[in-house]
C-alpha cells in the first residue's frame, strides 16, 4: 500500500524533534490513545513541533492539505490537551514545511508555574514564507501519502484515453469552475482505474488556485469511523460542523457506507446540507449509484442527480500511454518493447501495471544493468503467471454462456443467430482482454474461426459498449467476475 511506504520513507525525524517540549510528547501519546494507531499514523505522527511563540505552539506539517485537515478536525482537541498540560499555551498554529528559523537553538523552556514563554511579538508572516517551500513536487512527493492526498495524483500525471476521458474532463471542470458545475460528481469504476487519483487531482488543483478553500477528502471508511467516534463521545455537533463547513467534500469508495444505516443517514444529511449550500461534493464508488447495493433509495437517487461518470477498463493503448508517462516521469529509459510487453500482459489494473514497472526499474537501478525483455520476463515471472493463471478461454466461455443463458457448445458452434452470436463475441472480446492468447489462437478455441472474426468481435463489442449502457455493464460485470 502506498500509504505505508510514504509514512516510512516520509518525514523522518523532524529537525526540531530533539527539542520537542514535554507537553507535546505527552499530548501526542494521548492522541494516539484517543484516536487509535491508524489515525495516529495518518496524521499526528507527521506533525512536528516547530516553536512556541507568545503562547502559540507552532507545528509543522508536510502539506497544505494536511494542515487544513488537521486544523478542521483535530486542532481543538490538540489545543485542549496541550492547555491541560500547560495553561500558558493559548493557541496552536500549523505551518506547512519547516518552521523557520528559531527552534534549533532555542529549545522551549519547560512550563514554569509563573510566566512561561516570553511574550514576544508574534511573527505573522510565518505561514506565507513557509508555504512555498512545501509545494508538492517530484522531490518531496513521498511526504504526502499518509495525509490521504498523494502528491503524485495530479491532473498532469493522469494519462487520458478513451476509457477515462469523461471522468477526467468532468473532474477538471469541477476543479476549475468557479461555480458548481454538477453536484455531485459521481465517479465510478473498477479497482485501480484512477478514481482516487482523479479525486486527489481535484483537491490539488483547487488548493493550488484557492489555498483558502476548504477541501476535504476522505475515504468513506474514515467518514464512518469519525462518525461512530463522534457518537461514542457524544460529539456529533462538532462532527456535523466540520463536514458542513467545507467548500468541497470528497468521499472515496462510498460502497463501504452501504448497509451501515446510521452512517448512511448522517452521510445523506451531510450531503444534502452541502448541496443545498451549493458546495461541491465529489463521490466515488465501484459501481454506479443505481447498482450500489444496500443503499437507501433516497440516497441512491440523490447520488445520481449530478454527473455520473464512469471509468472503463483500460485499453492496450491507455496502458501503454500510462507506462510511457510513468517511465518518463522517473527519468528512466525503458525500451519500448518492454513497455509494450507489459501493456499487453498486465491487463488487470493500473496499480499492478505500475508495480511491475517500478519493480523492473528498481532492479535495473540496483544491479546497474539495462532493462531488457528477457530480464523483465524473468523478474516478473510470478506476476505474469498470476495474470496468466487468472483466467482461461474455457472459463470465459463457460461464464459468458451462463450469463447469457446459452449452451457452452454454442461458443464453438456455427450458429449465427444473434442470441448466440453476441455472447460469443463477448467471450472473444474478453478472451482478448483477459488472456495473452493471440487472435488466431482465440479463433481456434471458438470452433476454429478465423482471426479476422475475432477482430471483428472485439470491435463490435467495443462499439456496443459505447452506445449501450446495459450491455457495457454486463461486459464489465463478466470481466470482474472472471478476474477475481
Ligand atoms: P482506484 O481509486 O480507481 O482504485 P487509483 O486512483 O488508486 O484507482 O489508481 C491506481 C493507480 O493507478 C494509481 O497509482 C494511479 O496513479 C494510477 N493510475 C490509474 N489511472 C491512471 C491514469 N489514467 N494515468 C496515470 N496513472 C493512473
Ligand atoms: Mg481508490
Amino acid at each position: 500500500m502506498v500509504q505505508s511506504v510514504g509514512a516510512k520513507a516520509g518525514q523522518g525525524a523532524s529537525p526540531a524533534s530533539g527539542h520537542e517540549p514535554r507537553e507535546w510528547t505527552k499530548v501526542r501519546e494521548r492522541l494516539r490513545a484517543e484516536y487509535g494507531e491508524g489515525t495516529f499514523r495518518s496524521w499526528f505522527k507527521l506533525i512536528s513541533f516547530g516553536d512556541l511563540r507568545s503562547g502559540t505552539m507552532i507545528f509543522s506539517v508536510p502539506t497544505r492539505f494536511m494542515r487544513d485537515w488537521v486544523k478542521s478536525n483535530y486542532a481543538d482537541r490538540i489545543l485542549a490537551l496541550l492547555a491541560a498540560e500547560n495553561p500558558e499555551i493559548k493557541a496552536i498554529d500549523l505551518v506547512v514545511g519547516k518552521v523557520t528559523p528559531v527552534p534549533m537553538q532555542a529549545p522551549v523552556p519547560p512550563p514554569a508555574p509563573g510566566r512561561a514563554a516570553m511574550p514576544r511579538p508574534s511573527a505573522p508572516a510565518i505561514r506565507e514564507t513557509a508555504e512555498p517551500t512545501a509545494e508538492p513536487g517530484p522531490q518531496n512527493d513521498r511526504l504526502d501519502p499518509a495525509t490521504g492526498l498523494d502528491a503524485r495524483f495530479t491532473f498532469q500525471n493522469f494519462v487520458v484515453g478513451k476509457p477515462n476521458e469523461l471522468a477526467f474532463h468532468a473532474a477538471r471542470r469541477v476543479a476549475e469552475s468557479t461555480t458548481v458545475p454538477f453536484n455531485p460528481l459521481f465517479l465510478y469504476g473498477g479497482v485501480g482505474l484512477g478514481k482516487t487519483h482523479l479525486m486527489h487531482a481535484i483537491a490539488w488543483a483547487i488548493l493550488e488556485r484557492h489555498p483558502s478553500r476548504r477541501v476535504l477528502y476522505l475515504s468513506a471508511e474514515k467518514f464512518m469511523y469519525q462518525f461512530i467516534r463522534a457518537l461514542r463521545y457524544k460529539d456529533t455537533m462538532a462532527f456535523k460542523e466540520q463536514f458542513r463547513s467545507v467548500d468541497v467534500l470528497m468521499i472515496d469508495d462510498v460502497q463501504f457506507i452501504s448497509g451501515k444505516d446510521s452512517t448512511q443517514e448522517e452521510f445523506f444529511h451531510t450531503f444534502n446540507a452541502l448541496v443545498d449550500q451549493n458546495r461541491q461534493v465529489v463521490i466515488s464508488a465501484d459501481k454506479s449509484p443505481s447498482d450500489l447495493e444496500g443503499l437507501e433509495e433516497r440516497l441512491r437517487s440523490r447520488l445520481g442527480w449530478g454527473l455520473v461518470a464512469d471509468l472503463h477498463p483500460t485499453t492496450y493503448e491507455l496502458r501503454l500511454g500510462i507506462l510511457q508517462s510513468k517511465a518518463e516521469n522517473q527519468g528512466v529509459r525503458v525500451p519500448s518493447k518492454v513497455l509494450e510487453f507489459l501493456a499487453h500482459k498486465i491487463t488487470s489494473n493500473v496499480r499492478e501495471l505500475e508495480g511491475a514497472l517500478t519493480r523492473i526499474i528498481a532492479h535495473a537501478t540496483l544491479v546497474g544493468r539495462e532493462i531488457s525483455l528477457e530480464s523483465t520476463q524473468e523478474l516478473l515471472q510470478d506476476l505474469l503467471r498470476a495474470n496468466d493463471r487468472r483466467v482461461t478461454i474455457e472459463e470465459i466461455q463457460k461464464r459468458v454462456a451462463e450469463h447469457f443463458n446459452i449452451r457452452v457448445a454454442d461458443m464453438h458452434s456455427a450458429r449465427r443467430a444473434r442470441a448466440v452470436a453476441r455472447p460469443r463475441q463477448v467471450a472473444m472480446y474478453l478472451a482478448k482482454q483477459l488472456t495473452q492468447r493471440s487472435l488466431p489462437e482465440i479463433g481456434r478455441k471458438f470452433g476454429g474461426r478465423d482471426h479476422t472474426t475475432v477482430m471483428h468481435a472485439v470491435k463490435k463489442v467495443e462499439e456496443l459498449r459505447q452506445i449501450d449502457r446495459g450491455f457495457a455493464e454486463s461486459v464489465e460485470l463478466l470481466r470482474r467476475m472472471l478476474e477475481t
Side-chain angles (χ1 to χ4, degrees):
M1 212 169 91
V2 193
Q3 296 207 335
S4 56
V5 172
K8 229 185 307 157
Q11 271 302 72
S14 80
S17 58
H19 306 288
E20 191 174 280
R22 220 182 36 202
E23 38 300 40
W24 172 233
T25 314
K26 270 174 103 173
V27 165
R28 211 172 36 193
E29 285 314 306
R30 279 289 299 274
L31 292 168
R32 190 206 290 266
E34 265 183 35
Y35 290 90
E37 194 59 30
T39 307
F40 177 80
R41 248 186 284 123
S42 304
W43 305 105
F44 307 122
K45 200 169 167 211
L46 299 186
I47 302 177
S48 37
F49 170 75
D51 200 359
L52 181 61
R53 297 176 196 170
S54 321
T56 298
M57 193 171 269
I58 303 168
F59 296 97
S60 115
V61 291
T63 62
R64 279 201 283 204
F65 179 78
M66 181 159 176
R67 178 198 64 197
D68 296 344
W69 179 257
V70 171
K71 267 194 178 168
S72 50
N73 290 286
Y74 305 114
D76 293 346
R77 187 64 192 147
I78 295 175
L79 178 61
L81 289 171
L82 282 170
E85 292 293 326
N86 176 2
E88 295 292 324
I89 300 172
K90 299 275 186 252
I92 68 166
D93 196 6
L94 292 146
V95 170
V96 182
K98 286 193 185 108
V99 178
T100 42
V102 210
M104 289 309 284
Q105 66 274 35
V108 178
R115 300 179 62 80
M118 286 305 289
R120 249 189 300 144
S122 61
I126 327 166
R127 199 173 301 168
E128 281 70 32
T129 51
E131 217 155 312
T133 62
E135 279 307 314
Q139 299 83 8
N140 65 1
D141 58 2
R142 286 289 145 98
L143 296 183
D144 279 303
T147 64
L149 205 62
D150 191 314
R152 293 166 306 169
F153 291 179
T154 59
F155 284 128
Q156 255 173 339
N157 289 343
F158 193 81
V159 180
V160 188
K162 264 231 136 49
N164 59 25
E165 63 186 359
L166 174 64
F168 172 80
H169 289 295
R172 278 282 291 270
R173 268 296 288 287
V174 163
E176 285 165 9
S177 188
T178 43
T179 56
V180 174
F182 11 74
N183 223 355
L185 168 60
F186 190 102
L187 299 170
Y188 81 95
V191 175
L193 297 180
K195 301 182 294 294
T196 300
H197 187 136
L198 283 178
M199 293 177 105
H200 289 205
I202 293 174
W204 285 126
I206 293 177
L207 290 173
E208 201 170 278
R209 292 158 65 110
H210 311 281
S212 60
R213 278 242 211 142
R214 309 222 314 148
V215 180
L216 282 194
Y217 163 88
L218 75 165
S219 65
E221 278 171 308
K222 238 180 205 151
F223 180 89
M224 228 158 66
Y225 169 81
Q226 298 209 356
F227 175 62
I228 292 165
R229 230 195 113 259
L231 285 180
R232 187 180 324 133
Y233 290 91
K234 307 200 171 17
D235 201 13
T236 48
M237 279 308 285
F239 174 85
K240 286 182 205 305
E241 249 333 282
Q242 75 185 353
F243 283 101
R244 294 182 188 182
S245 59
V246 301
D247 296 306
V248 183
L249 177 67
M250 299 201 255
I251 302 212
D252 207 352
D253 290 320
V254 291
Q255 69 271 13
F256 291 124
I257 286 186
S258 60
K260 322 264 187 327
D261 286 348
S262 57
T263 318
Q264 237 186 74
E265 180 84 15
E266 186 52 35
F267 174 66
F268 183 67
H269 291 311
T270 305
F271 179 85
N272 280 335
L274 289 170
V275 171
D276 288 346
Q277 294 171 59
N278 209 24
R279 309 284 170 80
Q280 180 70 56
V281 179
V282 183
I283 303 286
S284 89
D286 64 348
K287 298 188 195 68
S288 71
S290 51
D291 286 338
L292 276 175
E293 282 157 22
L295 218 57
E296 234 187 284
E297 193 45 45
R298 54 178 189 165
L299 178 54
R300 185 203 311 284
S301 86
R302 188 90 205 233
L303 286 175
W305 277 11
L307 180 73
V308 177
D310 53 346
L311 292 120
H312 293 283
T314 56
T315 55
Y316 170 77
E317 289 73 29
L318 179 60
R319 288 195 295 275
L320 188 59
I322 291 173
L323 286 168
Q324 283 163 343
S325 131
K326 305 251 171 204
E328 200 173 300
N329 277 349
Q330 300 196 33
V332 181
R333 243 202 53 72
V334 183
S336 48
K337 271 232 145 359
V338 170
L339 296 182
E340 284 159 19
F341 173 77
L342 292 177
H344 203 78
K345 287 281 191 184
I346 301 174
T347 53
S348 44
N349 73 52
V350 181
R351 202 170 290 134
E352 210 158 277
L353 199 63
E354 278 184 329
L357 184 67
T358 306
R359 215 150 107 189
I360 60 168
I361 290 178
H363 179 79
T365 319
L366 283 175
V367 302
R369 225 184 301 134
E370 295 253 312
I371 298 167
S372 70
L373 197 53
E374 289 70 35
S375 66
T376 299
Q377 270 166 321
E378 202 181 298
L379 205 62
L380 301 179
Q381 256 178 26
D382 53 335
L383 196 65
L384 296 171
R385 223 176 313 140
N387 264 272
D388 264 342
R389 206 191 309 120
R390 202 158 281 164
V391 63
T392 61
I393 293 185
E394 287 73 18
E395 211 176 323
I396 293 174
Q397 293 174 327
K398 189 167 154 281
R399 285 293 187 118
V400 175
E402 266 166 28
H403 180 85
F404 289 102
N405 214 4
I406 62 168
R407 295 174 310 140
V408 179
D410 280 329
M411 289 287 166
H412 314 278
S413 78
R415 288 182 60 199
R416 294 170 73 168
R418 164 87 64 92
V420 295
R422 192 57 34 89
R424 197 188 290 133
Q425 288 177 323
V426 170
M428 288 182 192
Y429 167 84
L430 288 169
K432 182 77 196 88
Q433 288 271 313
L434 302 178
T435 73
Q436 278 71 54
R437 303 281 162 251
S438 65
L439 294 175
E441 277 176 297
I442 295 173
R444 273 200 293 282
K445 296 258 186 182
F446 284 82
R449 288 181 156 78
D450 192 67
H451 77 275
T452 53
T453 310
V454 183
M455 219 150 72
H456 174 73
V458 171
K459 250 179 71 193
K460 186 76 203 170
V461 172
E462 216 118 63
E463 266 168 39
L464 283 172
R465 272 190 29 202
Q466 298 298 323
I467 53 175
D468 180 343
R469 174 147 251 160
F471 179 79
E473 275 165 11
S474 322
V475 173
E476 176 55 18
L477 184 78
L478 278 163
R479 198 183 63 84
R480 268 194 233 151
M481 259 165 33
L482 285 160
E483 268 186 355
T484 48

